[in-house]
Amino acid sequence: MSIEIVAVTLLVVVGLVNAAPGVVAFSVARTRVAYGVDVDDPVLTVLLRHRAVLLAIVGIGLIVSAFVTSMRVPAIVAAAVSMTSYVAIAGSTKGVNQQIRRVLRADVVALVGLGAAGALLAS
């Protein structure tokens, strides 16, 4: 298997991890499953739905960048900033629930995959 195929596969997988929360934009009820919270506040609903759209954009950007080489650097940087900021914020916040810790661990694993893809593409 070539380095390019491994890197492209990693970009697609990490893109899917980032895009998956996008479902919350269409189904607020999914926030309970994803984050372990009930959303009764309309303002919080708007914020979570908007966050879901932004995550989907980052994920779709990564997936597209797997096939459009000119998009790779911006997509990788955007995804790295997004996931690193979540890891930093969630990791430094006391009292987060198990679902938030699960998402944090998933982002750490995805960051490793993203770093590996970037390193493979740079070689």
Side-chain angles (χ1 to χ4, degrees):
M1 186 179 292
S2 77
I3 289 174
E4 178 79 11
I5 292 172
V6 172
V8 164
T9 302
L10 285 169
L11 288 175
V12 170
V13 169
V14 174
L16 290 171
V17 168
N18 275 272
V23 73
V24 170
F26 303 105
S27 172
V28 179
R30 302 287 295 168
T31 58
R32 178 120 179 82
V33 175
Y35 305 111
V37 295
D38 287 318
V39 183
D40 296 326
D41 181 358
V43 173
L44 184 56
T45 299
V46 168
L47 293 173
L48 286 173
R49 292 180 74 193
H50 182 255
R51 176 186 185 279
V53 170
L54 293 175
L55 286 170
I57 290 169
V58 170
I60 291 166
L62 276 175
I63 294 166
V64 170
S65 80
F67 307 101
V68 180
T69 58
S70 63
M71 289 186 59
R72 286 183 179 166
V73 171
I76 289 170
V77 169
V81 169
S82 174
M83 289 185 288
T84 300
S85 66
Y86 182 82
V87 168
I89 292 167
S92 66
T93 302
K94 294 180 181 179
V96 296
N97 64 21
Q98 190 61 26
Q99 288 90 335
I100 296 295
R101 285 193 289 277
R102 180 179 45 94
V103 173
L104 188 151
R105 287 190 298 273
D107 273 9
V108 169
V109 171
L111 273 167
V112 171
L114 187 64
L120 289 171
L121 292 168
S123 64

